[in-house]
Amino acid sequence: MVEVAGLLLAAGGGTRLGTPKAVVEFAGERLAERGVRLLAEGGCHPVVVVLGAAEIPAGRAVTVRNPDWTTGMGSSLRAGLRSLPGTAAAVVIALVDQPLVRPAAVRRLIEAFRSGAAVAVATYGGAPRNPVLIAREHFAEVCALAEGDVGARPFLRAHPELVTPVPCDDAGDPADVDTQEDLRRIRARYDHPD
């Protein structure tokens, strides 16, 4: 079986939130733990977590420290991609601040890869969001284009012909946690789904 790794970007300081997102409690677990579970239950192995502002136990994941985490997501993406084992044919990249995405979204991205997609992007309402799968042959270019507080977006925009959209409307909600108000709203959505 071809190995697809999971990469959770969890290094940020959560400036607008007031605390690093990785350590925020949500539904009885930290957001970083929830993200690791998302990737593992979605079928990724190994799962790598990039940390920076906060240190947390790895659990069933490998942790990578990004000493340049203050420069933004681009450096975390580069650190994570460079840490992946050579056996990983592709990686699913997820963000720590999207706790309502479910493992089914990750499974769909992996299925798209096994069906021939080199790049697969979860879509919700037709709009591309996260998680994202990228095949190994594109890692170097993704790293080269990841700067500041953007991750794979410059690569995806440069190569729309490679992107396979994967509808995930029924596989979670891509809402992200940037502020305390976001966190309250997402907790309420989780506790009382429509």
Side-chain angles (χ1 to χ4, degrees), residues 102-134:
R102 295 196 302 268
V106 175
R107 283 191 289 272
R108 288 179 193 173
L109 295 177
I110 294 172
E111 287 167 14
F113 172 68
R114 294 205 166 116
S115 297
V119 178
V121 177
T123 65
Y124 306 84
R129 294 291 302 268
N130 289 294
V132 172
L133 178 143
I134 298 173

Side-chain angles (χ1 to χ4, degrees), residues 47-114:
V47 175
V48 174
V49 182
V50 181
L51 297 173
E55 294 296 325
I56 59 165
R60 53 182 162 172
V62 175
T63 58
V64 172
R65 178 135 176 75
N66 175 15
D68 300 319
W69 66 267
T70 56
T71 65
M73 191 188 314
S75 64
S76 291
L77 180 57
R78 288 192 303 276
L81 289 176
R82 290 174 180 153
S83 75
L84 295 177
T87 53
V91 63
V92 175
I93 303 162
L95 305 181
V96 75
D97 65 353
Q98 293 180 308
L100 300 181
V101 174
R102 295 196 302 268
V106 175
R107 283 191 289 272
R108 288 179 193 173
L109 295 177
I110 294 172
E111 287 167 14
F113 172 68
R114 294 205 166 116

Side-chain angles (χ1 to χ4, degrees), residues 139-150:
F139 287 7
E141 188 175 358
V142 170
C143 286
L145 295 176
E147 291 294 332
D149 207 28
V150 294

